[in-house]
Amino acid sequence: MGGWRVAVLCLWVSCGSVAGQLEYSVSEETERGVAVGNVAQDLRLSAASLSLRNFRFLSSRGETSFGVDLASGSLVVREPADRERLCGAKAACVLIYELVLEDPLELHKVHVHVLDINDNSPHFPAGDVQFHIPEFLMPGARFTLPNAEDADEGSNGLLSYSLSPSRHFSLDMGSRVDGSEFPELVLEKALDREQRATHRLVLTARDGGLPARSGEVQVTIVVVDTNDNAPVFERSVYRTKVPETAPRGTVLVRVQASDPDEGSSGEIRYSLSNSTKAKLRHHFHVHPRNGEVRVAASLGPPETLLEAYIEARDEGAFSLASTAKLLVEVTDVNDHAPEVNLLTLSSPVSEDAATGTVIAFLSVKDEDLGPNGKVACSVYSAGPFKLKASFGNYYSLLTDGPLDREQVSEYQVLITASDGGSPPLSTRRTLTVSVADVNDNTPSFPKSKQELFVAENNAPGASLGHVFARDPDLGKNGLVFYELLDIISEGQAASRLVAVDSPSGAITAKISFDFEQLRGFHFQVEARDGGFPPRSSTVTVNLFVVDRNDNAPVILFPLSKNGSVPVEIVPRSARTGHLITKVVAEDADSGSNAWLSYYIFQASDSSLFRISANMGELRTARLVLPTDAVKQKVVVVVQDHGDPSLSTSVTLSMLLSSSAPQVLPDFEDGWETGGHLSAENLYLTIALACISFLFLGCLLFFVCTKLSQSAGCCTQNCCRSPEELRYGSKVASSPCMSSAIIDVTTVERLSHTYLYRASLGLGYDNNSLLFHGEYSAADLRNLASGVGLNVPISCIQIRNRKGDHANVNAMVSIFYGI
């Protein structure tokens, strides 16, 4: 059934949330599918946006009579609405719904007014009525008739009464103290029982609808005799209050009436009058004798004032009755705890959400009335949240500060709703709010610099260590990748030296490192997360190459000359501790691997020589004895302190002599320092010997040629004795058949041993150069006397290039044993 529809749209803004109220009217019993109004148009929205914004149509009472068609946005009838069933006797029947829209969050209230139609006929709950009227009653006597009830409202529920025609009775409307009316049967003419003992009338009730509806009840009048006094109540109206939770049997009030008649006509019985509404009859119980009115059933919520009528009737043969009104006010008791309803919850919430972001929308309600129904909400949480009242009983849960997922990833937010009763009742509800991760953390290394060590001679691909950066973010935001920054260090690109594994940060070597060439370098590794945009940081890695003992000591002095063994002249007059020479060596390694120690491995006479373990100075261990062999050999081993240690050796040849020998003896025969020669070494030795003999032959030929040119040197007194060389005056000497000149220049002094740069020439013109280089004094003497020429030592002239007479004197002393 169609009806008029009226839509009124009211909008207002409260606490940052958009709220609106829509009102519609529809007649009850409207058929299914009928559109009441268009919600989308009234909200100035398109029908398609309802679904996109997660539209919800909620009823606080769980009522499903109306709904919203998402396709058209219209409010339609889902089930025919029965106003009497939904609202009972209320004058206005309003159904309240809530519309919730998201993105942004909006809440609207919808009030649907269900209009009454005349679909209920009046009826008499008490059924047929019977009166016993004594015949002696005079005209004008009144008898209360039962009221009819019509569930409709307004004019549809407005009743009018009519009585079937009768000569003895008429119908009149009486009024109570509260202004309500009720039908009364009025005696118009005295009754005569003998003429007619029973009268049957029909009482009709009609409503004001179009068309009007009616209901009837039969009124039976039995004419009796005697008993002419009706009971009289002490008060016409009784008032009382009772809490809504009053249990059964609670005494509400005690009514009392009196009847002046005697006997059974004065005995009174109490009961509920037929004028009491049928739905209230089961709430009360009246004791027939003492008039106590008790609670017979739960009185329900304290909505309105309950009105009942108590009848007092005597027990005479022709009983008379009177009624009194009972008004019961049901007072509210704080027996309902508040209800907290979660309308929306945005979880998880991003950790970079701004302060004031709405997380949840709540509604609270309390079925109690007055202060007992006033609800206050509070929030308790360890996180930055606050509760803000929106409008009415609606609250918004907002952020009240920054969120950090790395510190707290989930919050338990406790919402407490308390009413104003005494004692107050409260309800708690816990909301779980999760915090969503954003890429707000940069990968961090434990230190800005990291040191790694690798032993030299490593294999390419060897693991050097790893770098690690921590990113507390989740998922891709916390996934760290590593990259080598190709910078130039120690003249080389880092990418040519090392490699970094991107997922793990493991560092491996690309080449084999040599400590002697590269002792260390630095490079940078970047750690970058997988977020968008990505965040990164760098660490500087200092890689140090650790030395290994992979280099044997190298002899710097003395050096072998053309394969010949260095020869040191040791005077037989040398004292104990006499410095013979110093072995100088170096080791390319470092640290303990380069610490060198010297010891004598083999010697012709082990008791004659000793060597300083740290300095390498070879000295005499005792006095030289006449019985000691002229030729002495010592094998000195130079050993480092590596693990395992490496060593090298040098063979030193010493000549024990009281004076400088003219010809150096052969030190190569008759003594071996090692084992048997290998085949390769044997061939090499033979080849070197052949070359040496050939060279010496050429040299002898050249020297002989020069000597023949200077044959008259000694006859012309060109040769000088050692004394002349030392003191600068001529000393008589034998004529020199040949002569030689040695030019000396001091180069370096090693302890007490001088190193000279010298050259030897034959003849006075000094044009024939026989040798040139850096030699010790003993070497010069050996060379001068061991060239294989017949040049007496007395015919050798020593000449100082720089005028250093001390050096000349030293040479003279060495050559001539002075």
Side-chain angles (χ1 to χ4, degrees):
M1 177 179 179
W4 298 280
R5 296 179 298 173
V6 179
V8 179
L9 175 63
C10 298
L11 297 175
W12 68 88
V13 178
S14 174
C15 299
S17 298
V18 178
Q21 179 172 306
L22 306 176
E23 294 191 5
Y24 301 91
S25 297
V26 61
S27 298
E28 66 173 330
E29 302 300 336
T30 299
E31 296 177 356
R32 292 183 181 89
V34 175
V36 179
N38 194 297
V39 174
Q41 292 180 1
D42 293 340
L43 293 177
R44 302 181 186 277
L45 299 174
S46 64
S49 65
L50 298 181
S51 298
L52 297 177
R53 295 183 62 182
N54 196 15
F55 172 82
R56 281 171 288 173
F57 187 75
L58 307 176
S59 172
S60 58
R61 299 171 52 182
E63 180 59 40
T64 60
S65 298
F66 300 92
V68 175
D69 183 7
L70 295 180
S72 62
S74 298
L75 178 68
V76 297
V77 177
R78 298 293 189 196
E79 295 290 339
D82 187 353
R83 191 196 68 83
E84 289 74 22
R85 178 181 63 83
L86 296 174
C87 301
K90 291 182 179 178
C93 183
V94 181
L95 301 182
I96 301 175
Y97 297 91
E98 295 170 350
L99 302 181
V100 179
L101 296 171
E102 295 181 0
D103 298 327
L105 180 65
E106 294 183 11
L107 178 67
H108 303 274
K109 283 193 174 183
V110 177
H111 289 184
V112 180
H113 297 265
V114 181
L115 305 179
D116 182 60
I117 62 173
N118 192 23
D119 58 342
N120 292 282
S121 299
H123 69 283
F124 293 86
D128 294 342
V129 182
Q130 186 178 42
F131 293 100
H132 292 79
I133 300 176
E135 61 179 349
F136 59 83
L137 286 181
M138 298 299 292
R142 293 176 175 267
F143 304 92
T144 302
L145 294 173
N147 285 87
E149 294 180 2
D150 193 330
D152 297 324
E153 67 169 335
S155 60
N156 295 329
L158 187 62
L159 301 179
S160 61
Y161 298 89
S162 62
L163 188 66
S164 59
S166 173
R167 292 186 303 163
H168 295 274
F169 298 94
S170 65
L171 183 66
D172 194 9
M173 298 302 294
S175 60
R176 302 184 179 94
V177 292
D178 59 348
S180 61
E181 294 184 345
F182 59 92
E184 288 185 325
L185 185 65
V186 180
L187 181 62
E188 296 291 341
K189 183 179 179 181
L191 300 175
D192 187 357
R193 179 181 173 278
E194 286 73 18
Q195 291 182 1
R196 190 173 179 179
T198 302
H199 297 265
R200 289 183 172 82
L201 305 174
V202 176
L203 178 62
T204 302
R206 288 185 175 82
D207 59 26
L210 286 176
R213 291 176 175 267
S214 63
E216 297 179 345
V217 66
Q218 185 173 348
V219 180
T220 301
I221 300 164
V222 178
V223 181
V224 295
D225 205 2
T226 66
N227 195 17
D228 54 352
N229 291 291
V232 178
F233 284 96
E234 293 179 345
R235 289 180 292 175
S236 60
V237 178
Y238 291 88
R239 295 179 178 271
T240 185
K241 293 182 179 181
V242 62
E244 61 175 329
T245 57
R248 294 181 182 181
T250 301
V251 178
L252 298 176
V253 70
R254 183 174 182 175
V255 299
Q256 188 173 0
S258 60
D259 192 329
D261 293 329
E262 294 181 354
S264 61
S265 298
E267 294 181 1
I268 302 173
R269 296 181 65 88
Y270 301 96
S271 63
L272 286 173
S273 172
N274 293 332
S275 299
T276 302
K277 294 181 179 181
K279 67 177 183 178
L280 296 179
R281 287 179 175 273
H282 69 281
H283 289 291
F284 305 104
H285 176 266
V286 180
H287 195 280
R289 291 299 180 184
N290 58 22
E292 286 183 349
V293 181
R294 296 177 179 268
V295 175
S298 176
L299 300 179
E303 293 184 354
T304 57
L305 190 68
L306 301 182
E307 181 179 312
Y309 296 94
I310 308 301
E311 181 183 80
R313 183 178 294 277
D314 61 27
E315 295 185 350
F318 306 101
S319 61
L320 299 176
S322 61
T323 58
K325 179 184 289 187
L326 174 62
L327 299 177
V328 179
E329 181 181 354
V330 181
T331 60
D332 182 63
V333 176
N334 191 25
D335 58 343
H336 293 88
E339 296 180 9
V340 179
N341 298 316
L342 178 63
L343 300 180
T344 60
L345 175 62
S346 299
S347 179
V349 59
S350 177
E351 64 177 321
D352 60 351
T355 301
T357 300
V358 178
I359 297 176
F361 201 63
L362 307 154
S363 68
V364 296
K365 68 176 181 179
D366 195 318
E367 298 293 342
D368 295 321
L369 301 178
N372 296 334
K374 292 184 178 180
V375 182
C377 284
S378 61
V379 62
Y380 174 78
S381 173
F385 302 102
K386 67 177 181 179
L387 203 62
K388 188 175 184 180
S390 295
F391 59 91
N393 290 330
Y394 294 91
Y395 292 85
S396 298
L397 181 64
L398 313 174
T399 58
D400 195 28
L403 300 173
D404 191 347
R405 188 208 63 80
E406 287 70 37
Q407 294 184 1
V408 181
S409 61
E410 186 177 270
Y411 293 93
Q412 301 296 324
V413 182
L414 179 63
I415 307 295
T416 302
S418 303
D419 60 24
S422 181
L425 298 179
S426 62
T427 298
R428 294 181 177 181
R429 181 160 186 174
T430 301
L431 305 181
T432 300
V433 179
S434 301
V435 182
D437 183 62
V438 297
N439 191 24
D440 58 343
N441 288 279
T442 301
S444 61
F445 291 94
K447 296 180 179 179
S448 61
K449 293 185 178 181
Q450 185 172 343
E451 294 183 350
L452 296 177
F453 297 87
V454 57
E456 64 174 329
N457 303 325
N458 60 286
S463 175
L464 305 180
H466 73 281
V467 292
F468 175 74
R470 181 179 178 272
D471 193 325
D473 292 325
L474 285 180
K476 292 183 178 180
N477 296 333
L479 189 61
V480 180
F481 300 93
Y482 302 91
E483 182 181 355
L484 175 66
L485 300 182
D486 198 7
I487 63 175
I488 303 300
S489 176
E490 300 297 329
Q492 298 189 60
S495 60
R496 298 184 57 189
L497 302 176
V498 296
V500 178
D501 184 60
S502 179
S504 65
I507 303 175
T508 55
K510 281 191 171 182
I511 64 172
S512 178
F513 297 107
D514 188 352
F515 174 81
E516 287 70 36
Q517 296 183 4
L518 180 63
R519 298 197 173 191
F521 61 94
H522 69 275
F523 56 92
Q524 288 185 334
V525 178
E526 180 185 63
R528 183 176 63 256
D529 60 27
F532 184 81
R535 291 174 173 263
S536 63
S537 62
T538 60
V539 62
T540 299
V541 181
N542 293 319
L543 181 65
F544 297 97
V545 180
V546 179
D547 181 51
R548 281 184 174 177
N549 192 25
D550 57 344
N551 291 280
V554 177
I555 303 296
L556 299 179
F557 181 84
L559 296 174
S560 61
K561 303 297 182 178
N562 299 323
S564 61
V565 179
V567 178
E568 296 289 341
I569 304 299
V570 180
R572 288 185 176 273
S573 60
R575 296 181 180 182
T576 301
H578 173 74
L579 177 63
I580 301 172
T581 186
K582 181 175 182 178
V583 178
V584 180
E586 70 173 0
D587 195 317
D589 296 322
S590 66
S592 61
N593 296 330
W595 296 349
L596 303 181
S597 61
Y598 304 82
Y599 67 91
I600 297 176
F601 176 72
Q602 191 174 7
S604 300
D605 188 349
S606 59
S607 65
L608 183 56
F609 304 102
R610 62 180 173 87
I611 192 168
S612 173
N614 296 326
M615 301 296 295
E617 295 178 347
L618 182 66
R619 297 177 182 269
T620 57
R622 59 177 174 81
L623 293 175
V624 179
L625 301 177
T627 58
D628 291 333
V630 175
K631 296 186 296 181
Q632 298 286 337
K633 275 193 176 182
V634 175
V635 177
V636 178
V637 174
V638 184
Q639 181 176 342
D640 60 27
H641 286 70
D643 185 18
S645 62
L646 299 177
S647 63
T648 188
S649 64
V650 61
T651 302
L652 303 177
S653 299
M654 273 75 67
L655 181 65
L656 303 181
S657 176
S658 299
S659 61
Q662 295 182 358
V663 179
L664 291 178
D666 186 7
F667 282 85
E668 300 301 326
D669 54 352
W671 188 65
E672 296 181 354
T673 61
H676 297 286
L677 291 175
S678 62
E680 292 79 359
N681 291 337
L682 180 60
Y683 298 149
L684 181 60
T685 302
I686 294 174
L688 292 176
C690 294
I691 295 173
S692 299
F693 283 122
L694 181 61
F695 173 74
L696 289 175
C698 295
L699 184 61
L700 288 175
F701 175 77
F702 179 76
V703 171
C704 292
T705 303
K706 286 294 183 179
L707 287 176
S708 62
Q709 294 177 359
S710 58
C713 175
C714 292
T715 58
Q716 299 174 7
N717 296 323
C718 62
C719 296
R720 297 193 180 189
S721 65
E723 289 77 4
E724 289 176 322
L725 293 172
R726 182 176 184 183
Y727 300 106
S729 61
K730 292 185 177 180
V731 179
S733 60
S734 60
C736 296
M737 299 301 295
S738 62
S739 64
I741 299 174
I742 297 178
D743 292 330
V744 297
T745 302
T746 304
V747 177
E748 180 181 2
R749 182 182 181 186
L750 299 175
S751 183
H752 297 290
T753 302
Y754 288 89
L755 184 63
Y756 301 94
R757 188 185 308 277
S759 61
L760 174 63
L762 296 178
Y764 290 101
D765 55 359
N766 197 21
N767 293 324
S768 299
L769 182 64
L770 296 182
F771 59 85
H772 181 78
E774 295 178 0
Y775 303 93
S776 65
D779 291 336
L780 288 175
R781 185 181 63 188
N782 294 336
L783 290 173
S785 61
V787 294
L789 301 177
N790 294 321
V791 180
I793 295 178
S794 60
C795 293
I796 296 176
Q797 182 181 355
I798 299 175
R799 183 172 59 191
N800 185 6
R801 291 283 189 181
K802 294 185 179 180
D804 191 347
H805 298 288
N807 291 339
V808 173
N809 294 335
M811 289 295 297
V812 170
S813 299
I814 292 173
F815 268 76
Y816 301 106
I818 299 175

